[in-house]
Amino acid sequence: VNYMDSKAINRYKWTKPNAWVSDFIDKDNNGFDHLWVDDVDISTYIGHGNGYGFNLEGSGSQNGSLTYWEAAKGKAWGNRDLEYQVWLSCQVLEEVYDGKEWWERWGPTFNGLHLICGFQTNASTGTHKQLKYFAKNVYDNKKTVRKAWFDAADSDQPDGTQAVVMGPLMNAAN
């Protein structure tokens, strides 16, 4: 995270208990993403998660889980500025969860968002260099976000860890 901070303009940096579920929720759904998550180019989350979403440890009523169905309400992500979500979190992009595939769960959150980078399997903080490698790949090595994420995972994650990236598909008929 420190290396990422040194390369980018840090609009905000919430750590527990200051990261709240409402920071990720669209203002049309009583959230504040227009002030925080959807007001930056890249949003990064580090913490626990699984196929339904991830856990925020904010105070009082602001703690809890950001679920894929909550994130998709309103205008979702990218309607303001957000281009990339980067999640160092276990299984958030798990292939099938609760009878739904990853694209059924997270696809509706795209409204201008370009990519979500995450993991299908457990992710490891390992050597604690996943995000450092990612930032170096993007900023220093000029790799695409997709390639930077996969290369960072190859450099930092244990064998068997499955890093994944999802993005919107366009219908060629439109």
Side-chain angles (χ1 to χ4, degrees), residues 2 13 47 62 64 91 104 106 111 119 135 137 147 166 174:
N2 292 334
K13 183 177 179 180
Q62 291 298 334
Q91 302 174 12
E104 292 175 291
W106 294 103
N111 186 15
F119 293 90
N137 288 336
K147 178 83 169 128
M166 75 173 284
N174 291 336

PDB file of all heavy atoms in Angstrom, residues 2 13 47 62 64 91 104 106 111 119 135 137 147 166 174:
ATOM      1  N   ASN A   2       1.964   1.226   0.750  1.00  0.00           N
ATOM      2  CA  ASN A   2       2.846   2.394   0.799  1.00  0.00           C
ATOM      3  C   ASN A   2       3.435   2.690  -0.572  1.00  0.00           C
ATOM      4  O   ASN A   2       3.568   3.851  -0.949  1.00  0.00           O
ATOM      5  CB  ASN A   2       3.961   2.189   1.828  1.00  0.00           C
ATOM      6  CG  ASN A   2       3.426   2.166   3.236  1.00  0.00           C
ATOM      7  OD1 ASN A   2       2.387   2.742   3.527  1.00  0.00           O
ATOM      8  ND2 ASN A   2       4.117   1.478   4.116  1.00  0.00           N
ATOM      9  N   LYS A  13      -7.772   7.332   2.322  1.00  0.00           N
ATOM     10  CA  LYS A  13      -7.206   6.058   2.762  1.00  0.00           C
ATOM     11  C   LYS A  13      -7.863   5.701   4.082  1.00  0.00           C
ATOM     12  O   LYS A  13      -7.495   6.221   5.120  1.00  0.00           O
ATOM     13  CB  LYS A  13      -5.699   6.177   2.916  1.00  0.00           C
ATOM     14  CG  LYS A  13      -5.025   4.877   3.296  1.00  0.00           C
ATOM     15  CD  LYS A  13      -3.520   5.092   3.350  1.00  0.00           C
ATOM     16  CE  LYS A  13      -2.783   3.863   3.738  1.00  0.00           C
ATOM     17  NZ  LYS A  13      -1.331   4.122   3.775  1.00  0.00           N
ATOM     18  N   GLY A  47      -8.919  -7.126   2.813  1.00  0.00           N
ATOM     19  CA  GLY A  47      -9.620  -7.672   3.962  1.00  0.00           C
ATOM     20  C   GLY A  47     -10.339  -8.958   3.628  1.00  0.00           C
ATOM     21  O   GLY A  47     -10.197  -9.502   2.540  1.00  0.00           O
ATOM     22  N   GLN A  62     -22.118   1.179  10.637  1.00  0.00           N
ATOM     23  CA  GLN A  62     -21.359   1.261   9.392  1.00  0.00           C
ATOM     24  C   GLN A  62     -20.502   0.030   9.139  1.00  0.00           C
ATOM     25  O   GLN A  62     -19.873  -0.074   8.107  1.00  0.00           O
ATOM     26  CB  GLN A  62     -20.479   2.510   9.393  1.00  0.00           C
ATOM     27  CG  GLN A  62     -21.281   3.777   9.315  1.00  0.00           C
ATOM     28  CD  GLN A  62     -22.092   3.874   8.029  1.00  0.00           C
ATOM     29  OE1 GLN A  62     -21.758   3.309   7.006  1.00  0.00           O
ATOM     30  NE2 GLN A  62     -23.191   4.584   8.100  1.00  0.00           N
ATOM     31  N   GLY A  64     -19.972  -4.225   8.785  1.00  0.00           N
ATOM     32  CA  GLY A  64     -20.747  -5.291   8.176  1.00  0.00           C
ATOM     33  C   GLY A  64     -20.174  -5.674   6.836  1.00  0.00           C
ATOM     34  O   GLY A  64     -19.001  -5.466   6.557  1.00  0.00           O
ATOM     35  N   GLN A  91     -11.787 -15.149  -2.331  1.00  0.00           N
ATOM     36  CA  GLN A  91     -12.954 -15.738  -2.976  1.00  0.00           C
ATOM     37  C   GLN A  91     -14.066 -14.786  -3.406  1.00  0.00           C
ATOM     38  O   GLN A  91     -15.156 -15.234  -3.735  1.00  0.00           O
ATOM     39  CB  GLN A  91     -13.556 -16.818  -2.061  1.00  0.00           C
ATOM     40  CG  GLN A  91     -12.602 -17.902  -1.699  1.00  0.00           C
ATOM     41  CD  GLN A  91     -13.181 -18.866  -0.687  1.00  0.00           C
ATOM     42  OE1 GLN A  91     -14.375 -18.859  -0.411  1.00  0.00           O
ATOM     43  NE2 GLN A  91     -12.341 -19.702  -0.130  1.00  0.00           N
ATOM     44  N   GLU A 104     -22.886 -13.102 -12.756  1.00  0.00           N
ATOM     45  CA  GLU A 104     -24.257 -12.806 -12.326  1.00  0.00           C
ATOM     46  C   GLU A 104     -24.250 -11.970 -11.051  1.00  0.00           C
ATOM     47  O   GLU A 104     -25.119 -11.110 -10.875  1.00  0.00           O
ATOM     48  CB  GLU A 104     -25.026 -14.105 -12.072  1.00  0.00           C
ATOM     49  CG  GLU A 104     -25.302 -14.912 -13.315  1.00  0.00           C
ATOM     50  CD  GLU A 104     -25.963 -16.230 -12.997  1.00  0.00           C
ATOM     51  OE1 GLU A 104     -25.299 -17.108 -12.399  1.00  0.00           O
ATOM     52  OE2 GLU A 104     -27.154 -16.381 -13.340  1.00  0.00           O
ATOM     53  N   TRP A 106     -21.508  -9.969  -9.781  1.00  0.00           N
ATOM     54  CA  TRP A 106     -20.810  -8.691  -9.850  1.00  0.00           C
ATOM     55  C   TRP A 106     -21.041  -7.913 -11.133  1.00  0.00           C
ATOM     56  O   TRP A 106     -20.787  -6.705 -11.176  1.00  0.00           O
ATOM     57  CB  TRP A 106     -19.312  -8.906  -9.611  1.00  0.00           C
ATOM     58  CG  TRP A 106     -19.072  -9.363  -8.212  1.00  0.00           C
ATOM     59  CD1 TRP A 106     -18.788 -10.644  -7.799  1.00  0.00           C
ATOM     60  CD2 TRP A 106     -19.141  -8.576  -7.032  1.00  0.00           C
ATOM     61  NE1 TRP A 106     -18.666 -10.682  -6.425  1.00  0.00           N
ATOM     62  CE2 TRP A 106     -18.881  -9.424  -5.932  1.00  0.00           C
ATOM     63  CE3 TRP A 106     -19.399  -7.234  -6.786  1.00  0.00           C
ATOM     64  CZ2 TRP A 106     -18.869  -8.968  -4.611  1.00  0.00           C
ATOM     65  CZ3 TRP A 106     -19.381  -6.784  -5.478  1.00  0.00           C
ATOM     66  CH2 TRP A 106     -19.126  -7.647  -4.408  1.00  0.00           C
ATOM     67  N   ASN A 111     -21.054   0.159 -14.205  1.00  0.00           N
ATOM     68  CA  ASN A 111     -21.743   1.269 -14.851  1.00  0.00           C
ATOM     69  C   ASN A 111     -20.686   2.303 -15.240  1.00  0.00           C
ATOM     70  O   ASN A 111     -20.701   3.433 -14.778  1.00  0.00           O
ATOM     71  CB  ASN A 111     -22.790   1.879 -13.916  1.00  0.00           C
ATOM     72  CG  ASN A 111     -23.615   2.942 -14.614  1.00  0.00           C
ATOM     73  OD1 ASN A 111     -23.611   3.047 -15.836  1.00  0.00           O
ATOM     74  ND2 ASN A 111     -24.310   3.754 -13.839  1.00  0.00           N
ATOM     75  N   PHE A 119      -9.740 -12.449  -6.546  1.00  0.00           N
ATOM     76  CA  PHE A 119      -9.342 -13.849  -6.451  1.00  0.00           C
ATOM     77  C   PHE A 119     -10.560 -14.750  -6.432  1.00  0.00           C
ATOM     78  O   PHE A 119     -11.556 -14.439  -5.792  1.00  0.00           O
ATOM     79  CB  PHE A 119      -8.518 -14.091  -5.184  1.00  0.00           C
ATOM     80  CG  PHE A 119      -7.185 -13.406  -5.224  1.00  0.00           C
ATOM     81  CD1 PHE A 119      -7.045 -12.117  -4.750  1.00  0.00           C
ATOM     82  CD2 PHE A 119      -6.093 -14.040  -5.771  1.00  0.00           C
ATOM     83  CE1 PHE A 119      -5.828 -11.473  -4.801  1.00  0.00           C
ATOM     84  CE2 PHE A 119      -4.863 -13.406  -5.833  1.00  0.00           C
ATOM     85  CZ  PHE A 119      -4.728 -12.114  -5.351  1.00  0.00           C
ATOM     86  N   ALA A 135       1.369  -2.246  -8.215  1.00  0.00           N
ATOM     87  CA  ALA A 135       1.664  -0.834  -8.486  1.00  0.00           C
ATOM     88  C   ALA A 135       2.916  -0.680  -9.345  1.00  0.00           C
ATOM     89  O   ALA A 135       2.937   0.129 -10.276  1.00  0.00           O
ATOM     90  CB  ALA A 135       1.821  -0.075  -7.166  1.00  0.00           C
ATOM     91  N   ASN A 137       4.043  -2.795 -11.478  1.00  0.00           N
ATOM     92  CA  ASN A 137       3.698  -3.238 -12.828  1.00  0.00           C
ATOM     93  C   ASN A 137       2.924  -2.169 -13.594  1.00  0.00           C
ATOM     94  O   ASN A 137       3.145  -1.958 -14.782  1.00  0.00           O
ATOM     95  CB  ASN A 137       2.896  -4.537 -12.784  1.00  0.00           C
ATOM     96  CG  ASN A 137       3.745  -5.729 -12.403  1.00  0.00           C
ATOM     97  OD1 ASN A 137       4.957  -5.727 -12.583  1.00  0.00           O
ATOM     98  ND2 ASN A 137       3.105  -6.754 -11.874  1.00  0.00           N
ATOM     99  N   LYS A 147      -2.870  -7.244 -16.845  1.00  0.00           N
ATOM    100  CA  LYS A 147      -1.578  -7.933 -16.855  1.00  0.00           C
ATOM    101  C   LYS A 147      -0.824  -7.674 -15.551  1.00  0.00           C
ATOM    102  O   LYS A 147      -0.202  -8.584 -14.985  1.00  0.00           O
ATOM    103  CB  LYS A 147      -0.755  -7.462 -18.061  1.00  0.00           C
ATOM    104  CG  LYS A 147       0.615  -8.056 -18.157  1.00  0.00           C
ATOM    105  CD  LYS A 147       0.581  -9.416 -18.800  1.00  0.00           C
ATOM    106  CE  LYS A 147       2.004  -9.880 -19.141  1.00  0.00           C
ATOM    107  NZ  LYS A 147       2.284 -11.196 -18.625  1.00  0.00           N
ATOM    108  N   MET A 166     -12.334  -9.438 -13.978  1.00  0.00           N
ATOM    109  CA  MET A 166     -13.570  -9.426 -14.758  1.00  0.00           C
ATOM    110  C   MET A 166     -13.832  -8.025 -15.278  1.00  0.00           C
ATOM    111  O   MET A 166     -13.444  -7.034 -14.672  1.00  0.00           O
ATOM    112  CB  MET A 166     -14.760  -9.944 -13.948  1.00  0.00           C
ATOM    113  CG  MET A 166     -15.320  -9.004 -12.915  1.00  0.00           C
ATOM    114  SD  MET A 166     -16.847  -9.589 -12.140  1.00  0.00           S
ATOM    115  CE  MET A 166     -18.057  -9.280 -13.404  1.00  0.00           C
ATOM    116  N   ASN A 174     -25.259  -4.084 -30.500  1.00  0.00           N
ATOM    117  CA  ASN A 174     -25.604  -2.737 -30.018  1.00  0.00           C
ATOM    118  C   ASN A 174     -24.683  -1.724 -30.550  1.00  0.00           C
ATOM    119  O   ASN A 174     -23.782  -1.289 -30.547  1.00  0.00           O
ATOM    120  CB  ASN A 174     -25.629  -2.698 -28.493  1.00  0.00           C
ATOM    121  CG  ASN A 174     -26.798  -3.498 -27.953  1.00  0.00           C
ATOM    122  OD1 ASN A 174     -27.786  -3.700 -28.638  1.00  0.00           O
ATOM    123  ND2 ASN A 174     -26.666  -3.956 -26.737  1.00  0.00           N
TER     124      ASN A 174
END
